[in-house]
Amino acid sequence: METLSTTKAHGGTQYVYRHDSTMTATPMTFSVFVPEHEEGAKLPVLWYLSGLTCTHANVTEKGEYRAACAEHGIIFVAPDTSPRGDGVPDDAEGAYDFGLGAGFYVNATEEPWSANYRMRAYIEDELPAQIATHLPVADLTRQSITGHSMGGHGALTIALRNPDRFRSVSAFAPIVSPMNCPWGEKALTGYIGADREAWRPYDACALIADGSRVPEILVDQGEADSFLETQLKPELLREACAEAGIDLTLRMQPGYDHSYYFISSFMAEHVAWHAERLKR
């Protein structure tokens, strides 16, 4: 891994790295906060998946997670949202909700996207192996995952597909059912094709209906979020969890929107919630 920057913060170090990805066939940049720790110590990891248009930099600069991660001794990893670079295909009209910055954490099967848009494999397999090799990470079962919007969709689906890998999962304003919203229908059609059955591994509510389980989920959702009714639809996750017996804590936050003002307001609570489960 190539180190792009190191910055001291809250007693630990904020890193930005770049490496050549086999899964995406591009260089990939990501950030990692490593709290102060004793030599030889192995630390648990909290993954954060960002939303549409974002890179690793959005949460790194605005997420306000470092103090909480330093307090609880947790490494915080923030990947990019899609492959980038020369030759990587993008939406022909430059739309923000497809192509660069909008990888939707899927393994694309449709051309021309399938050559690079393999964010599922990158997040589930390749980047964890890189982190474990180069950083003071505990074993792969002492990890948790969270995310925002499209990244909340990624966090939920990845946790549901890999229940033995993640001790806990939470989300901020997640897209809970891409099969039932315009963002998701556009992305899944473009990346996966028209067969809606092939979309089900990338829809949290469908995964739950098909038998995937996690013990509990924490979700914060702003009531003033402009995407609440058309794109996010948290009631669908509430219904799916109730039917499956999954303990869902869905906190509707009055006055909060979809921005990092909202995310940063509740980030420390999410870190503490994950820390409790990582230490069990």
Side-chain angles (χ1 to χ4, degrees):
M1 297 195 300
E2 177 188 1
T3 303
L4 300 183
S5 66
T6 62
T7 307
K8 191 76 172 179
H10 294 278
T13 305
Q14 178 67 61
Y15 298 93
V16 178
Y17 294 110
R18 181 169 55 210
H19 73 117
D20 290 330
S21 167
T22 301
M23 292 296 103
T24 68
T26 66
M28 295 294 291
T29 301
F30 62 98
S31 75
V32 180
F33 176 70
V34 180
E36 187 176 19
H37 59 281
E38 294 182 0
E39 185 176 355
K42 300 293 186 181
L43 306 179
V45 174
L46 176 58
W47 293 82
Y48 176 90
L49 305 185
S50 294
L52 288 166
T53 76
C54 291
T55 70
H56 71 283
N58 297 75
V59 70
T60 305
E61 296 168 2
K62 303 174 185 178
E64 299 183 23
Y65 56 84
R66 279 173 283 268
C69 288
E71 177 185 352
H72 296 288
I74 293 174
I75 293 173
F76 190 96
V77 179
D80 203 344
T81 51
S82 75
R84 301 178 193 271
D86 294 340
V88 176
D90 194 10
D91 184 85
E93 299 179 358
Y96 76 93
D97 56 356
F98 191 78
L100 297 182
F104 265 82
Y105 305 100
V106 306
N107 284 347
T109 56
E110 295 292 296
E111 298 293 342
W113 317 102
S114 58
N116 305 110
Y117 285 76
R118 297 180 53 78
M119 292 300 295
R120 171 182 176 175
Y122 178 71
I123 299 297
E124 288 185 348
D125 301 315
E126 185 175 17
L127 190 54
Q130 288 282 328
I131 295 295
T133 299
H134 295 283
L135 294 167
V137 171
D139 68 80
L140 291 178
T141 65
R142 285 193 66 204
Q143 304 199 11
S144 294
I145 192 166
T146 187
H148 170 234
S149 193
M150 178 185 73
H153 138 74
L156 292 172
T157 55
I158 289 171
L160 284 162
R161 290 194 303 262
N162 300 275
D164 296 334
R165 284 271 303 279
F166 297 96
R167 298 278 183 92
S168 52
V169 56
S170 73
F172 302 88
I175 304 171
V176 304
S177 184
M179 296 178 70
N180 293 289
C181 73
W183 279 342
E185 290 179 345
K186 177 180 179 178
L188 295 175
T189 300
Y191 294 135
I192 309 298
D195 180 5
R196 292 180 66 91
E197 284 300 305
W199 299 2
R200 296 185 72 83
Y202 300 110
D203 184 296
C205 294
L207 282 166
I208 292 170
D210 292 344
S212 296
R213 296 290 182 268
V214 292
E216 55 186 333
I217 300 171
L218 170 64
V219 171
D220 273 303
Q221 171 65 63
E223 289 186 351
D225 191 323
S226 60
F227 303 114
L228 178 58
E229 294 183 2
T230 58
Q231 305 283 8
L232 307 178
K233 304 183 179 182
E235 69 278 1
L236 297 180
L237 183 63
R238 181 189 289 115
E239 294 166 4
C241 288
E243 181 70 22
I246 295 174
D247 182 5
L248 171 66
T249 300
L250 174 58
R251 307 192 303 188
M252 302 299 297
Q253 303 291 358
Y256 284 92
D257 60 14
H258 200 67
S259 72
Y260 269 89
Y261 294 109
F262 157 63
I263 299 166
S264 62
S265 296
F266 302 99
M267 178 65 82
E269 294 180 24
H270 280 242
V271 172
W273 186 83
H274 287 291
E276 180 183 347
R277 285 144 184 85
L278 285 165
K279 292 173 182 175
R280 287 176 181 172

